[in-house]
Amino acid sequence: MTLFHIRGIRIAVDYSWFFVLFLIIIWLSSFYRSVLDVSNGDAAPYVLALVSALAFFASILLHELGHAFVAIRRGIGISDITLWMFGGVARMTKDSDSPGTAFKVAIAGPLVSLAITAVCLGIGVAAAGSHDFGQAMRVQDQANTSGALAVIAWLASINLLVLAFNLIPAFPLDGGRVARAIAWKVTGDRTRATRAAARLGQAFSYLFIAVGIAMFLTGDVIGGIWLALIGFILGQSARGAVLQTEFATRIEGIRVADVMDDEPVAIPEDASVERALDEYFLRYRWPWFPVVDAAQQFRGLIERGAADAVPEPVRASSTVRDVFDADSTGTLRVRDDAPLESLLGNDALRRLGALVAVDSHGRLRGVITADQVGRALRTALSGGRGQGPPDSPPA
């Protein structure tokens, strides 16, 4: 469910988020009722619980935006950020191109959580003093804790917990991604680094499940189930990363140019919309085409819907330049000398079915489709190389 957009990034929530929001509000209302020492009919604990829950998820969103903004500055597109029952996920359109970039993107989220914790601590200490605020964070002196101070103390505590948990070196947690970046820098091999970090993530997942079962057996039913479930999901994610590295190993050495269609059909940006419809869309029946300038520089994509939306009387005088989608973030293109493994999990490739291949100067060189990538993977897994007759672009 889409909530809003921030700098072109879609912010959404999974339906499981509402379930967790409900549980957090119920749990915190009981907590704040104890802190304020009020009766069950008082509305203040519920108000504080709602404020705390929304502030907590706002903190998670800021954490993910930290990852997203650093990724965007490093040339990595972000398609969306989704909040769900275990936090948030920022979906990147491609992997980092260097260990330095991978490290900066991974550490950005924990730094945001650290900053939020520091701000809460600063506000709490300024309002109540270090001793009283420390007591409020530990809830040791509930009688002297106001509702507002209790909220700030809880936010400081929960963000500190989020920070500590995310720094666990278990891929795909942030700490695991930091460990992967360091291993990548040391070994010079992204695939080996990913495999090592993922194996570490699997080990921690087994530990979480074991501790969760122990907590369940000793009476902490909810906490035990929760931790075991986190361990299970962490293990599945790590296993997926291991499988992806196996694919990457099999297709190592294969470049985009090896499997792409090197005779792409493109529309000049100064062509009229009428010409685009008559000579391209109606002829080839493809949903979109690359748009190039006079020097064959890739500019973006024009979709059939955008061309059809132009009123028929002005199609002859309107140009493709007026209606195409510019590739301002670079997510619609890939270098023709890029390794094929860099397309694994590419969100734009999954969404569009194909990507435009360009050379080092940004000139159009081909189109690579999801079918071509899939065929290369199947051929590599069967013992061959991954090359084959190109498909017509874009499929």
Side-chain angles (χ1 to χ4, degrees):
M1 180 181 295
T2 301
L3 297 181
F4 48 84
H5 290 77
I6 298 178
R7 291 181 56 180
I9 303 173
R10 185 175 72 94
I11 309 300
V13 293
D14 184 80
Y15 290 110
S16 63
W17 178 82
F18 293 99
F19 173 70
V20 175
L21 178 66
F22 172 76
L23 291 182
I24 291 178
I25 292 174
I26 293 299
W27 174 66
L28 284 178
S29 61
S30 177
F31 167 73
Y32 286 127
R33 189 178 301 111
S34 176
V35 169
L36 300 177
D37 192 22
V38 295
S39 64
N40 290 337
D42 199 306
Y46 294 100
V47 173
L48 294 178
L50 178 61
V51 170
S52 299
L54 294 178
F56 168 64
F57 281 108
S59 300
I60 297 297
L61 176 58
L62 290 174
H63 177 107
E64 296 302 326
L65 285 173
H67 291 305
F69 290 158
V70 172
I72 291 172
R73 284 199 296 269
R74 304 296 295 185
I76 302 173
I78 302 293
S79 59
D80 63 74
I81 293 176
T82 302
L83 301 177
W84 67 307
M85 65 185 301
F86 289 113
V89 177
R91 190 191 301 274
M92 297 189 296
T93 58
K94 62 180 181 179
D95 197 3
S96 303
D97 56 0
S98 69
T101 297
F103 178 85
K104 291 174 181 177
V105 173
I107 202 64
L111 289 179
V112 171
S113 293
L114 178 62
I116 295 173
T117 303
V119 169
C120 290
L121 287 173
I123 294 174
V125 170
S130 58
H131 179 268
D132 288 347
F133 188 67
Q135 295 291 89
M137 287 187 65
R138 294 188 294 270
V139 200
Q140 293 179 355
D141 190 7
Q142 297 178 352
N144 295 325
T145 303
S146 66
L149 187 63
V151 170
I152 297 297
W154 184 82
L155 285 176
S157 301
I158 197 66
N159 277 283
L160 187 61
L161 179 62
V162 168
L163 173 64
F165 180 77
N166 272 280
L167 288 179
I168 295 174
F171 192 87
L173 296 178
D174 294 337
R177 294 185 181 276
V178 169
R180 169 185 180 251
I182 294 173
W184 183 2
K185 178 67 174 180
V186 172
T187 64
D189 190 326
R190 172 169 53 187
T191 300
R192 285 177 56 193
T194 303
R195 185 185 296 114
R199 295 295 186 194
L200 192 58
Q202 287 181 309
F204 271 99
S205 73
Y206 299 144
L207 177 62
F208 289 168
I209 292 173
V211 174
I213 293 174
M215 292 171 61
F216 179 86
L217 295 176
T218 55
D220 189 356
V221 177
I222 301 299
I225 293 176
W226 196 257
L227 187 60
L229 189 56
I230 290 176
F232 174 77
I233 294 177
L234 181 64
Q236 293 297 103
S237 299
R239 181 175 178 273
V242 171
L243 292 176
Q244 183 166 320
T245 61
E246 295 297 330
F247 278 123
T249 301
R250 294 292 186 92
I251 62 177
E252 189 174 3
I254 303 178
R255 303 290 171 179
V256 169
D258 296 330
V259 297
M260 72 181 187
D261 176 9
D262 58 4
E263 295 182 356
V265 178
I267 302 180
E269 64 176 352
D270 58 356
S272 68
V273 174
E274 184 177 62
R275 179 189 170 195
L277 286 168
D278 293 342
E279 298 183 16
Y280 293 91
F281 286 107
L282 294 179
R283 177 183 177 185
Y284 295 99
R285 304 291 180 178
W286 297 335
W288 56 262
F289 285 89
V291 175
V292 296
D293 61 15
Q296 291 299 300
Q297 294 278 336
F298 173 63
R299 297 293 310 281
L301 302 179
I302 179 171
E303 298 188 33
R304 175 66 185 268
D308 285 336
V310 178
E312 190 170 350
V314 298
R315 286 176 181 175
S317 58
S318 300
T319 64
V320 170
R321 185 187 294 109
D322 301 325
V323 296
F324 83 102
D325 292 326
D327 185 26
S328 57
T329 60
T331 58
L332 305 178
R333 71 182 74 186
V334 61
R335 285 278 295 272
D336 58 356
D337 58 353
L340 195 64
E341 66 181 88
S342 65
L343 296 182
L344 298 180
N346 186 289
D347 183 68
L349 178 63
R350 176 188 58 81
R351 177 169 49 87
L352 295 172
L355 289 177
V356 173
V358 299
D359 62 17
S360 58
H361 301 290
R363 291 188 293 265
L364 178 66
R365 285 292 179 261
V367 171
I368 183 167
T369 68
D371 286 340
Q372 290 168 326
V373 175
R375 185 186 305 124
L377 291 176
R378 290 191 295 271
T379 304
L381 289 175
S382 64
R385 274 286 293 172
Q387 293 150 310
D391 292 336
S392 296

